[in-house]
């Protein structure tokens, strides 16, 4: 069963970390492509993509989830457990995960290494800086911001209008006061209102995660639109001669990082776009390498299937050319009880006592959310397996209730104890996933590229979220029309909304009906290759809560880190 944070820390501290060269050898990666980067980490040369091209392609498995509580339901942990479980049943697996942002690590959610006996190690390095990739993204993003402001101060030869300059700045922490700032005071350039986003929401981060090569990355940096002229023409990073320096700052960050689980399953850790305000998936290059290094490549997409999985299917798969053989939908007893509408879960607080009492009826009351997420994956033609991430506070009758719901939907279901038992606890799940990847797939995108932007937005809102329709603000509609007129209408759409509901209202549980998706703002991410919608009260710069995790992080008398989870 799922263990506590202290147990996870103790297990991570006691884990054997094998030399990273051994991990590379186990996945068939020649040593010349893996450059050690301190203890337990290596950078992988992109030349491996071509060198491994003739090897058999691995089965491609996506791990997604139901709509989570503020505590999260263990999707990354389940991904790690599934990889270890596949090895336990004699299958060679490679994992592909995102790199955690310091925002949640220092905020409420904590790090992204997993938990208990299903963790990536060394967990401290993973959660704090790793090889500096996120900082490189911030440096490249802010280098462009600096050149934009310098360009404006020098008279804007491109014709860039200060009032229509859209490029913001980034930092990899939750910092609420930076959402809106004024620059140029004191005679230091045109005075204008701008702001900061968290680095994980940066277009540079999304472009890095979607690039297939260094040359592709260079082209994407050049296509970034930083603003518009008074005549409505786009001004790009190429126009102000910033794209080259940005690419140089990102050269090392484009190389995936190789790590390992507690049971030594290889893990490719790369890029960290948020799942609720960005694309929510690890990199294309990591998948292009991992697909040739095992029998299974298991990756996860941020938050629930309406968020990261939808972007995985309709954005990432378009770019990579890879399509999944199966998908796992992670659920928990507590999530389905929360979706019954009878309980309120608050981050940082224990679950209510009444929520821990045995009550399979409440699980079934909240099961419409699980059914909806199964339907989202099936809508894309992908076989589904339900994984119940088991906690010690669960009851067998509640697990049985979830199994019955899955059976009614015609999908397999496994109760997984990977947090307590590692790969052995995920063996049943691994067997079901192995079986699911042998089923025929009929993968399909939600919408064609030729569809208009509003048609794409409506398809996501109605067919994925379950909305009755879309309400687009006048400003957002004006921008959509302008983007279409300027040739960006064929781009896919990325929707930033709350991850706590299928709707745009975080208070609506289950599978809400009778609501419409409110599109407040539209941004163009031409370099990353999508149009970016901001819906409801969603913010692209999070704020710290009343008791952030950073308050507990320190060093002990031996200089060891404590309080990190």
């Amino acid at each position: 069963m799922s263990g506590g944070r202290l147990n996870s820390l103790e297990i991570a501290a006691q884990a054997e970390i094998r030399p990273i060269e051994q991990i590379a050898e186990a996945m068939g990666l020649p040593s010349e492509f893996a450059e050690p980067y301190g203890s337990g980490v290596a950078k992988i040369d992109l030349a491996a993509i071509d060198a491994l091209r003739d090897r058999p392609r691995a089965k491609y498995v996506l791990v997604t989830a139901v709509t989570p509580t503020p505590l999260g339901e263990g999707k990354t942990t389940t991904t790690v457990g599934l990889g270890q479980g596949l090895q336990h049943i004699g299958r060679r697996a490679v994992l592909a995960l995102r790199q955690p942002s310091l925002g949640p690590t220092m905020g409420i959610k904590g790090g992204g290494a997993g938990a208990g006996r299903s963790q990536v190690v060394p967990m401290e390095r993973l959660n704090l800086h790793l090889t500096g990739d996120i900082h490189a993204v911030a440096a490249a993003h802010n280098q462009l911001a600096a050149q934009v402001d310098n360009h404006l101060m020098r008279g804007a030869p491109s014709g860039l209008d200060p009032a229509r300059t859209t490029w913001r700045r980034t930092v990899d922490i939750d910092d609420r006061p930076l959402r809106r700032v004024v620059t140029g005071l004191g005679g230091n350039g045109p005075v204008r209102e701008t702001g900061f986003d968290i680095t994980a929401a940066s277009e540079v981060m999304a472009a890095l995660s979607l690039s297939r090569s260094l040359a592709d990355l260079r082209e994407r940096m050049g296509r970034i639109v930083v603003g518009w002229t008074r005549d409505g023409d786009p001004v790009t990073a190429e126009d102000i001669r910033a794209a080259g320096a940005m690419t140089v700052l990102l050269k090392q960050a484009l190389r995936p990082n190789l790590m390992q689980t507690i049971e030594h399953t290889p893990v490719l850790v790369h890029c960290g776009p948020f799942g609720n305000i960005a694309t929510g998936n690890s990199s294309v290059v990591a998948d292009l390498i991992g697909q040739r290094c095992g029998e299974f490549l298991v990756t996860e997409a941020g938050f629930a299937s309406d968020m990261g999985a939808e972007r995985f299917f309709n954005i990432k798969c378009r770019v990579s050319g890879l399509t999944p053989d199966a998908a796992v939908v992670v659920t928990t007893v507590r999530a389905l009880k929360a979706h019954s509408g009878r309980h309120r879960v608050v981050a940082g607080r224990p679950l209510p006592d009444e929520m821990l009492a045995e009550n399979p009826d409440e699980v079934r009351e909240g099961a419409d959310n699980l059914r909806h997420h199964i339907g989202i994956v099936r809508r894309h033609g992908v076989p589904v397996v339900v994984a119940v991430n088991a906690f010690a506070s669960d009851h067998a009758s509640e697990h049985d209730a979830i199994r019955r719901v899955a059976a009614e939907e015609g999908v397999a279901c496994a109760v997984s104890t990977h947090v307590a038992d590692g790969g052995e606890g995920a063996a049943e799940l691994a067997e079901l996933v192995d079986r699911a990847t042998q089923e025929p797939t009929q993968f399909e995108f939600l919408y064609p590229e030729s569809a208009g932007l509003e048609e794409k937005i409506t398809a996501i809102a109605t067919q994925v979220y379950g909305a009755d329709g879309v309400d687009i603000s006048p400003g957002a509609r004006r921008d959509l029309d302008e983007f279409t007129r300027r040739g960006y209408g064929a781009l896919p759409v990325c929707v930033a909304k709350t991850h706590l509901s299928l709707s745009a209202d975080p208070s609506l549980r289950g599978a809400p009906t009778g609501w419409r998706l409110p599109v407040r703002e539209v941004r163009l991410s031409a370099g990353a290759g999508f149009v970016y919608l901001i819906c409801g009260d969603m913010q692209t710069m999070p704020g710290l809560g009343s008791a952030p995790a950073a308050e507990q992080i320190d060093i002990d008398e031996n200089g060891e880190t404590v309080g990190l989870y």
Side-chain angles (χ1 to χ4, degrees):
M1 303 297 171
S2 289
R5 291 169 178 168
L6 178 61
N7 183 44
S8 295
L9 287 169
E10 291 174 342
I11 291 171
Q14 296 168 6
E16 174 202 359
I17 300 178
R18 290 181 179 171
I20 200 65
E21 296 86 351
Q22 291 184 18
I23 304 302
E25 181 181 0
M27 60 190 288
L29 186 68
S31 59
E32 62 264 29
F33 298 123
E35 177 185 352
Y37 202 103
S39 174
V41 182
K43 276 284 188 183
I44 300 179
D45 196 317
L46 297 190
I49 295 173
D50 286 332
L52 304 176
R53 188 180 301 277
D54 294 334
R55 290 191 184 175
R57 180 174 291 174
K59 295 290 188 179
Y60 195 26
V61 179
L62 173 70
V63 179
T64 182
V66 298
T67 304
T69 68
L71 305 177
E73 307 317 308
K75 178 165 44 56
T76 300
T77 296
T78 302
T79 304
V80 175
L82 173 58
Q84 295 180 157
L86 286 164
Q87 294 209 154
H88 184 80
I89 66 171
R91 305 289 191 270
R92 292 174 54 240
V94 176
L95 308 181
L97 301 176
R98 290 173 297 158
Q99 180 182 347
S101 162
L102 289 181
T105 297
M106 297 290 175
I108 290 178
K109 185 180 178 184
R117 300 193 181 280
S118 290
Q119 293 188 65
V120 180
V121 289
M123 69 88 79
E124 183 175 340
R125 291 203 61 192
L126 176 65
N127 288 325
L128 301 177
H129 313 299
L130 192 54
T131 56
D133 294 348
I134 293 181
H135 302 311
V137 169
H141 184 113
N142 293 329
Q143 175 64 32
L144 176 56
Q147 288 190 239
V148 166
D149 282 325
N150 185 60
H151 184 77
L152 290 172
M153 191 180 74
R154 307 296 177 186
S158 67
L160 179 63
D161 182 356
R164 300 194 66 187
T165 299
T166 56
W167 193 251
R168 293 156 62 89
R169 285 171 166 80
T170 66
V171 64
D172 190 37
I173 54 175
D174 295 350
D175 200 349
R176 188 180 291 103
L178 292 181
R179 288 173 179 169
R180 296 179 66 181
V181 301
V182 175
T183 60
L185 296 174
N188 293 301
V191 176
R192 64 186 184 90
E193 184 175 303
T194 181
F196 280 73
D197 298 326
I198 194 165
T199 305
S202 166
E203 180 181 350
V204 175
M205 176 66 85
L208 184 74
S209 71
L210 293 169
S211 294
R212 295 175 60 94
S213 66
L214 184 61
D216 184 23
L217 177 64
R218 175 62 180 80
E219 292 179 5
R220 289 175 181 274
M221 294 299 99
R223 293 199 300 265
I224 289 173
V225 173
V226 300
W228 308 81
T229 68
R230 286 180 174 84
D231 294 331
D233 297 321
V235 178
T236 66
E238 197 70 63
D239 292 332
I240 64 169
R241 303 181 64 183
M246 295 170 69
T247 306
V248 170
L249 288 170
L250 294 167
K251 280 180 66 176
Q252 291 302 309
L254 184 58
R255 301 170 63 187
N257 306 290
L258 177 62
M259 299 183 74
Q260 63 191 284
T261 73
I262 282 178
E263 296 181 9
H264 316 300
T265 307
V267 185
L268 300 172
V269 180
H270 200 210
C271 298
F274 272 0
N276 56 347
I277 54 178
T279 46
N281 284 266
S282 60
S283 75
V284 167
V285 291
D287 286 1
L288 293 176
I289 293 168
Q291 66 163 337
R292 305 293 184 180
C293 292
E295 296 174 272
F296 289 84
L297 173 61
V298 183
T299 190
E300 59 94 21
F303 294 117
S305 72
D306 61 315
M307 306 296 291
E310 187 275 315
R311 290 97 182 252
F312 173 86
F313 295 138
N314 295 299
I315 298 178
K316 186 179 181 182
C317 289
R318 288 183 195 270
V319 173
S320 70
L322 305 177
T323 58
D325 296 287
V328 174
V329 176
V330 178
T331 190
T332 60
V333 167
R334 73 184 183 195
L336 297 189
K337 284 185 173 181
H339 284 296
S340 73
R342 298 177 180 274
H343 305 284
R344 182 168 177 260
V345 178
V346 179
R349 297 183 188 175
L351 293 175
D353 289 340
E354 61 272 17
M355 196 173 182
L356 299 177
E358 183 174 6
N359 196 328
D361 290 339
E362 283 187 354
V363 173
R364 290 191 66 86
E365 287 177 21
D368 280 350
N369 188 267
L370 172 59
R371 297 179 194 275
H372 192 102
H373 287 288
I374 291 171
I376 291 171
V377 177
R378 279 180 157 170
R379 168 63 183 79
H380 292 86
V382 180
V384 181
V385 175
V386 171
V388 182
N389 179 25
F391 284 74
S393 57
D394 296 350
H395 301 273
S397 64
E398 296 168 336
H399 291 163
D400 289 342
I402 299 175
R403 287 188 188 273
R404 284 196 295 274
V405 170
E408 290 164 5
E409 294 298 309
V411 300
C413 176
V415 175
S416 187
T417 61
H418 48 273
V419 173
D421 303 316
E424 182 178 0
E428 179 191 8
L429 175 61
E431 293 280 8
L432 294 179
V433 168
D434 186 12
R435 197 174 306 157
T437 61
Q438 298 172 38
E439 297 178 19
T441 61
Q442 295 181 322
F443 178 80
E444 60 179 273
F445 297 117
L446 183 65
Y447 49 78
E449 289 184 356
S450 59
L453 290 175
E454 187 169 348
E455 185 180 348
K456 293 168 184 174
I457 297 166
T458 301
I460 294 172
T462 58
Q463 297 183 48
V464 175
Y465 304 156
D468 287 347
V470 178
D471 293 327
I472 301 175
S473 73
R477 185 174 296 282
R478 183 174 59 250
D479 288 339
L480 285 173
D481 291 343
E482 180 71 8
F483 297 162
T484 299
R485 190 170 70 85
R486 293 291 174 176
Y488 299 110
L491 296 179
V493 169
C494 179
V495 181
K497 74 170 187 70
T498 180
H499 59 286
L500 297 174
S501 174
L502 283 162
S503 74
D505 180 350
S507 68
L508 297 182
R509 301 290 183 235
T513 58
W515 63 279
R516 297 176 65 83
L517 180 70
V519 179
R520 185 181 90 231
E521 183 182 347
V522 181
R523 299 179 186 176
L524 175 64
S525 293
F530 54 80
V531 172
Y532 178 26
L533 313 178
I534 300 178
C535 298
D537 296 328
M538 200 65 212
Q539 298 289 340
T540 54
M541 168 57 81
L544 291 174
S546 59
E551 294 180 357
Q552 308 302 319
I553 299 173
D554 208 332
I555 56 172
D556 63 15
E557 62 275 8
N558 300 313
E560 298 296 325
T561 300
V562 295
L564 179 67
Y565 59 86

